[in-house]
Amino acid sequence: MDSFEFSKIAAAVLLALLVIVGARTYIQSHHPHYDEAAGYQLPAPPPEEAAPAAGAAAEKAPAFNPAEVVGLLKTAKPDAGKQAFGKCMSCHTADKAAASKAGPNLWNVVNRKLGGRDDFKGYSDQMKAKGGEWTFEHLAGFLHSPKTYLPGTKMGFAGVTKPQELADIIAYIRTLADSPAPLPN
Ligand code: HEC
């Protein structure tokens, strides 16, 4: 482009700027709160808009409820649980006389103290410190997501997500005792 054309464009840009700045100065001098009022701060979204979004997120990932698994125990199938227990057997033994392996032997584990198997030396400090007993509800919580239930646990297992499968496994674990704990009502 030649220099004349350039000057024309430059003049047009300058003029446009002058008009904008002039208009702003004029408005500001007549309306001192122009800046705030004109939306330099984005208004917070109204609460009605925020609520359904939170609801939708909750629908996508329903909170895990151990009580639901306990409720399924009455009709759960120990045989199916024994099958599913295959994924635990690389670390856990289930026979009364068997020694512990990479994880503690699970004979009589229902209502046993957390970390209470004497021949197993590999409990995490977190397990030993937590206290309490392996109620059905605690088993459901732990086996659903070991690392959420007990951060720092040494049980390298992701967890059982399906409530029915979890109930079947716990129903099977319950049978690993001379006198199985009564089923919850
Ligand atoms: C990779 C090995 C591994 C797998 C697989 C595994 N566990 Fe464990 N489990 C462990 C270890 C290690 C501990 C001790 C955890 C700690 O002390 O933090 C443990 C602890 C437990 C306890 C607590 C026992 C007690 O004496 O306090 C239960 C119950 C249990 N596991 C059940 C299961 C079940 C059921 C499965 C399969 C669905 C399973 N585990 C899969 C290694 C494993």
Side-chain angles (χ1 to χ4, degrees), residues 50-63:
E59 248 169 60
K60 253 186 255 157

Side-chain angles (χ1 to χ4, degrees), residues 43 92 123-124 137 184:
H92 290 288
Y123 287 117
S124 60
E137 194 154 342

Side-chain angles (χ1 to χ4, degrees), residues 85 87-88 90-92 102-104 106 109 112-117 120 122-124 127 134 139 142-143 150 153-157 160 169 173:
F85 190 77
K87 61 180 93 175
C88 321
S90 53
C91 301
H92 290 288
L106 293 181
V109 74
R112 182 162 87 198
K113 260 176 58 200
L114 268 72
R117 173 84 191 187
F120 184 69
Y123 287 117
S124 60
M127 181 73 88
W134 284 121
L139 284 168
F142 179 59
L143 297 176
L150 189 68
T153 181
K154 285 189 183 169
M155 175 150 134
F157 178 75
V160 178
I169 290 176
I173 288 178

